[in-house]
Amino acid sequence: MATPTQETPNQAVKKNPVNEYPSPPFSRQPQEPPGLASEMNPRPDHGETSYQGTGRLVGRKALVTGGDSGIGRAAAIAFAREGADVAINYLPVEEPDAREVVDLIQKAGRKAVAIPGDIRDENFCNQLVANAVRELGGLDILVNNAGRQQAVDSILDLTTEQLDSTFKTNLYAMFWITKAAVPHMQPGASIINTSSVQAYEPSPNLLDYSQTKAAIVAFTKSLAKQLAEKGIRVNAVAPGPYWTALQVSGGQPQDKIEKFGSETPLKRPGQPAELAPIYVLLASQESSYATGQVYGAAGGSGNP
Ligand code: NAD
Ligand code: MG
């Protein structure tokens, strides 16, 4: 197998996707939500050592919610290496993961802004956007990626508190943050929302979560039509199973963690690094005709 050189960047090296990354079985590894990527075994690959930028986002200013870990971290690292300054939001308990991301953004030579806080609060969402705009000097890319997923087998055990928390994190916050961000965005700006395969193939134990992910698809398509005349594009990404803290901290029961990803044709979960190029594409000018679209990334299963 060819090794990466300056002429052949890592992304250009041909590999078999079946065995490029870890496959199940995985060990049980419960964590309290939201969980830390740095305590997972194996540690997820967010592109820390592999993502190589080619100047696709030079000078852009990005805000990524849930940017401390998982899919948001992979997007944050890739954006920085493509030349963007990046603000990340996360919960205060995730500071250890967030510090690693701040360090990686700075090592890419870009400005990193860390804004911890709970997005279930409308006032905080407004402050988050105001701080990001002030620190970055504007806003070109918004990634609404933070999410809450707690599996519950029966509707009879699904509490109003959980329903409320999931809807606030996954839907209300997206509405509040986007509403605050749009007045700062110029033509050429891009909003990217993280939906899920759960919008299309909802699992029985994710009754609350799957509804929010379906609503994110409708939000994306509706807002895309609204903002087209402003030259702001709005798209969503619908991942299948990815190896992240969200899954091991109650997103799946632990017996499902042991075989996580085995049901996909590639027989393994995706790694956050494998999603980063989609977020970069949707953020960049290259996808100028893409708006109101949902990009599936589910390892051979799921819709769209
Ligand atoms: P993750 O745990 O690494 O990221 C989720 C982040 O959401 C956390 O890091 C946390 O910072 C943030 N968050 C949660 N509640 C919050 C709150 N109240 N206030 C502020 N931030 C909060 O896991 P991930 O899998 O990378 O999740 C990112 C997105 O991807 C989520 O929207 C998730 O629903 C979606 N998704 C994940 C998968 C998967 O298999 N991992 C599949 C489809 C969709
Ligand atoms: Mg996290």
Side-chain angles (χ1 to χ4, degrees):
M1 189 172 72
T3 46
T5 66
Q6 213 164 6
E7 295 74 45
T8 46
N10 190 64
Q11 292 100 314
V13 177
K14 191 166 65 180
K15 295 175 207 141
N16 184 344
V18 173
N19 50 28
E20 187 178 357
Y21 286 108
S23 299
F26 298 109
S27 58
R28 293 182 176 229
Q29 46 191 294
Q31 290 191 44
E32 284 301 307
L36 290 175
S38 43
E39 289 183 6
M40 289 176 69
N41 174 29
R43 276 190 68 143
D45 184 350
H46 309 91
E48 287 89 344
T49 61
S50 57
Y51 192 91
Q52 285 169 294
T54 52
R56 295 157 82 187
L57 299 173
V58 170
R60 303 281 166 107
K61 301 157 198 314
L63 169 60
V64 182
T65 66
D68 59 303
S69 59
I71 295 162
R73 181 197 284 218
I77 292 170
F79 287 177
R81 293 192 186 164
E82 295 289 354
D85 293 333
V86 186
I88 59 168
N89 162 251
Y90 50 91
L91 285 163
V93 293
E94 297 174 295
E95 195 63 37
D97 275 359
R99 282 297 120 203
E100 293 183 1
V101 180
V102 165
D103 190 45
L104 288 160
I105 294 168
Q106 288 171 344
K107 282 201 172 111
R110 307 309 312 182
K111 181 166 188 178
V113 183
I115 313 176
D118 191 329
I119 59 171
R120 288 172 296 185
D121 180 79
E122 182 175 6
N123 286 332
F124 173 72
C125 288
N126 289 326
Q127 282 168 28
L128 167 64
V129 173
N131 289 351
V133 168
R134 191 186 60 242
E135 295 291 321
L136 296 171
L139 191 63
D140 305 302
I141 302 162
L142 169 63
V143 182
N144 287 305
N145 166 77
R148 178 184 193 279
Q149 175 185 326
Q150 289 291 301
V152 177
D153 283 336
S154 168
I155 188 171
L156 302 181
D157 297 321
L158 182 60
T159 62
T160 302
E161 289 71 29
Q162 158 143 351
L163 186 84
D164 191 55
S165 187
T166 305
F167 276 49
K168 287 255 168 59
T169 310
N170 300 4
L171 287 181
Y172 280 65
M174 177 179 65
F175 167 67
W176 291 326
I177 292 167
T178 305
K179 189 173 173 180
V182 165
H184 299 283
M185 297 182 119
Q186 310 297 325
S190 171
I191 299 170
I192 307 165
N193 303 318
T194 304
S195 176
S196 170
V197 65
Q198 290 293 326
Y200 302 92
E201 293 177 1
S203 298
N205 62 358
L206 295 176
L207 188 68
D208 55 336
Y209 175 84
S210 59
Q211 291 179 71
T212 67
K213 294 293 158 174
I216 290 169
V217 170
F219 177 93
T220 299
K221 289 176 178 286
S222 176
L223 190 68
K225 290 173 183 163
Q226 221 183 84
L227 297 184
E229 64 182 22
K230 291 187 191 297
I232 302 170
R233 297 181 298 106
V234 189
N235 294 288
V237 180
Y242 281 77
W243 185 245
T244 69
L246 170 124
Q247 299 291 3
V248 302
S249 64
Q252 304 287 335
Q254 289 296 315
D255 59 325
K256 289 260 176 62
I257 290 299
E258 290 178 319
K259 50 189 178 205
F260 191 60
S262 62
E263 282 155 23
T264 69
L266 289 176
K267 305 258 187 298
R268 65 166 177 87
Q271 293 292 329
E274 297 180 277
L275 275 178
I278 298 180
Y279 286 80
V280 169
L281 175 68
L282 291 174
S284 83
Q285 200 56 37
E286 291 164 295
S287 62
S288 47
Y289 199 61
T291 193
Q293 310 297 313
V294 183
Y295 281 59
S301 52
N303 294 299

